[in-house]
Amino acid sequence: MEKMYLCRTMIQKMSGIVLCSFKYNDKKNIVHLYTEQNGRMSFLIPAVRSRKSTVNNVLFQPLSLVEFEADIRPKSTIHPIKEAKLWYPFQTLPYDPYKSGIALFLAEFLMRALKEEVANQSLYAYLVHSIQWLDACEQNFANFHLVFLMRLSRFLGLFPYIENYQPGDYFDLQNACFTSLQPVSGMFLRPQEASHIHILMRMRYDTMHLFAMNRMERNYCLNVIVAYYRLHIPEFPELKSLPVLQELFA
């Protein structure tokens, strides 16, 4: 009886955000999720859904919000999902090419940036709120990914210090602050570019439409943000979805 009880307690109900799904073998896919309960985790799901299966791999699209039951095995790094469903069905995100492009990029970015396998309730709440906001937004979301990434930096301990900014300052990428003197490290933005970053740091989802940017300016800011994360997160790779996103919002 004791062994049966221990076995039953391994099945856990969880909720999470889909980051990535890829083929493991002919029968199984591996899906990476950022979970509310344990942070970043990896799971096994069927590659093809059968009539008897309680898991549909179609559910596991970039940034999908799912709830599921998984067989959590303490000594394993990949856990089988037994049942799954969407707990927040999207209204527009998978069907709008601009929103789906943003979702693909952000899912890949989060896949590389989120490493910890521990719960972070405030970060999880921020991610869910942001994804739902994008899904519900009807227009003026071209700057969404920029605001998302800058606000994300707060939860990762990377948000720059901006209180002392003065027009004409440089932005020190390495030390994450504005400075009146040109940094000796060589990793900095000149005053004109630094002013764009200062504006970007002031944006919120509900006000970002007030800050007009053309595609060149938007892509420049995105390149700077990605370079900033790459500088502060070890082994942060090139992002395959970045060029695709940069072609949007002409």
Side-chain angles (χ1 to χ4, degrees), residues 12 14-15 17-20 30-44 68 70-73 76-79 81 111 114-119:
Q12 294 186 20
M14 309 183 76
S15 57
I17 302 163
V18 178
L19 305 180
C20 174
I30 291 178
V31 59
H32 298 282
L33 291 94
Y34 189 78
T35 69
E36 181 179 14
Q37 292 78 10
N38 296 314
R40 168 80 174 268
M41 298 182 72
S42 301
F43 300 90
L44 282 173
F68 55 95
D71 187 355
I72 304 299
R73 302 173 181 179
S76 177
T77 58
I78 305 178
H79 314 280
I81 289 181
M111 175 74 180
L114 303 181
K115 305 291 187 181
E116 293 188 352
E117 298 180 358
V118 294

Side-chain angles (χ1 to χ4, degrees), residues 232-244:
H232 291 276
I233 297 178
E235 301 180 358
F236 195 94
E238 298 288 335
L239 300 175
K240 296 179 180 179
S241 58
L242 180 58
V244 177

Side-chain angles (χ1 to χ4, degrees), residues 78-89:
I78 305 178
H79 314 280
I81 289 181
K82 300 300 184 181
E83 296 184 15
K85 64 179 181 179
L86 297 175
W87 69 263
Y88 178 84

Side-chain angles (χ1 to χ4, degrees), residues 148-160 228-229:
F148 176 94
L149 293 179
M150 290 308 305
R151 292 167 66 89
L152 175 68
S153 68
R154 288 187 183 273
F155 298 93
L156 303 184
L158 301 176
F159 192 75
Y228 176 76
Y229 272 97

